[in-house]
Amino acid sequence: MPSTPPSLGTENQSPFQVDSRREIIGLLRGLKESKQLISMLINSGSEVFITSILEVDDSSNLVIIDSAPGQLANQRIIEAPRVSFEGLLDRISIQFSASNLERIDFEDRPALQFEMPTNMIRLQRREYYRINTPLSNPIRALIPVHLENRQETLKLSLVDISCGGIAILDERKVLDSTIGTIYEHCKLDLPTIGLVDVILQIRNSQDLVLLNGKSNRRLGCQFINMSNSVLASIQRYIMKLERERNAKLTGIR
């Protein structure tokens, strides 16, 4: 049952690019000191490994990370022309890339090292990066509601998604669109990720008249009390959408 309690554009990431060496070192050391797990992606994101930063060596201009499990995996990583890294620091998305990774031993354990990146992307929490979801294969939000003395789970299409919330289309105009209304026990069905549990709060509502004369309702919803694991899953899906979008823009297949 709902209860009523007493976005960032996709056209340009340049406002979120960090070029300051001092700031880059600070972000890398923040990831290290907070022991954050980082996704390491190769082959356009088709292979993902989890790692963490072991050392940020300012004097040698090197970053040292945990190696992947298995020699074959590490061989593919060091042979990859480009390795992308994606992580979260204080719920802010940090992204950077590197090339020419090398195997080393660090404190008696296998590790990898690479030159410190010259720039990074930092997507501020207050500027949640919002990206449109595919129209050809809509993503669904599953929202349980009580209608006419029965429980029903609505399957509503997403318009866009960010780490702060989603926009959905309520064509039947079933949901209570009162600002502040909370819907618990909702799920997002994210391709390659699976079902993730979220709590949604209505933040804005807009009735739309379509070109065919039909009407629809667009609801902006904020995530409430989201766990770090769910946040990481949503961020991973957003990054996947962004990689696919960039590949289309650059003609990469």
Side-chain angles (χ1 to χ4, degrees):
M1 290 291 291
S3 59
T4 303
S7 314
L8 168 67
T10 60
E11 67 279 356
N12 189 357
Q13 277 193 341
S14 61
F16 312 103
Q17 182 166 304
V18 177
D19 298 301
S20 164
R21 176 178 170 81
R22 180 177 178 180
E23 198 167 356
I24 289 170
I25 292 172
L27 292 171
L28 291 169
R29 286 180 173 162
L31 290 168
K32 170 184 176 290
E33 291 165 5
S34 59
K35 296 181 171 56
Q36 291 295 314
L37 296 178
I38 300 172
S39 297
M40 179 166 48
L41 303 92
I42 62 173
N43 298 328
S44 300
S46 62
E47 292 187 84
V48 182
F49 306 93
I50 301 300
T51 185
S52 60
I53 295 178
L54 303 177
E55 186 61 75
V56 181
D57 190 337
D58 183 11
S59 59
S60 299
N61 198 44
L62 292 172
V63 180
I64 300 173
I65 61 172
D66 256 333
S67 62
Q71 290 189 355
L72 290 178
N74 286 297
Q75 187 64 31
R76 292 199 298 275
I77 291 168
I78 64 175
E79 289 176 353
R82 180 184 178 92
V83 181
S84 299
F85 298 89
E86 304 170 348
L88 293 169
L89 181 61
D90 296 327
R91 295 202 173 197
I92 295 173
S93 170
I94 306 296
Q95 305 171 28
F96 58 96
S97 62
S99 55
N100 302 319
L101 275 69
E102 299 177 347
R103 283 184 179 141
I104 64 165
D105 288 323
F106 179 77
E107 296 181 350
D108 298 323
R109 60 194 285 191
L112 300 169
Q113 74 175 16
F114 54 88
E115 288 190 2
M116 195 172 298
T118 57
N119 58 67
M120 306 175 81
I121 296 296
R122 180 185 58 196
L123 300 177
Q124 296 280 13
R125 178 171 48 182
R126 65 179 180 272
E127 297 162 323
Y128 279 126
Y129 186 68
R130 181 178 293 111
I131 188 167
N132 292 335
T133 51
L135 295 175
S136 56
N137 186 24
I139 310 307
R140 304 295 185 186
L142 282 59
I143 304 177
V145 294
H146 195 70
L147 298 175
E148 298 177 355
N149 299 319
R150 74 179 190 279
Q151 193 74 13
E152 180 178 338
T153 298
L154 301 180
K155 296 181 179 180
L156 305 181
S157 299
L158 268 66
V159 178
D160 59 42
I161 185 170
S162 77
C163 284
I166 56 175
I168 54 178
L169 293 176
D170 182 13
E171 186 174 354
R172 293 165 53 193
K173 301 181 181 178
V174 171
L175 293 180
D176 181 354
S177 60
T178 304
I179 306 304
T181 300
I182 291 176
Y183 289 91
E184 299 181 336
H185 310 298
C186 303
K187 296 180 183 295
L188 301 182
D189 191 1
L190 303 179
T192 74
I193 303 293
L195 291 173
V196 296
D197 297 313
V198 294
I199 301 173
L200 299 174
Q201 183 181 54
I202 304 296
R203 302 305 303 167
N204 58 72
S205 173
Q206 183 181 20
D207 285 344
L208 308 172
V209 178
L210 308 180
L211 292 176
N212 59 10
K214 294 183 179 180
S215 64
N216 209 332
R217 177 169 291 167
R218 184 186 189 277
L219 298 172
C221 305
Q222 179 180 347
F223 295 132
I224 302 295
N225 299 328
M226 182 186 294
S227 68
N228 286 332
S229 61
V230 170
L231 178 66
S233 295
I234 291 174
Q235 183 65 57
R236 199 158 63 245
Y237 177 66
I238 291 171
M239 292 171 177
K240 173 182 177 294
L241 286 180
E242 179 62 18
R243 288 193 300 272
E244 291 173 352
R245 188 184 75 107
N246 287 340
K248 289 179 181 178
L249 290 175
T250 55
I252 298 174
R253 295 291 183 266

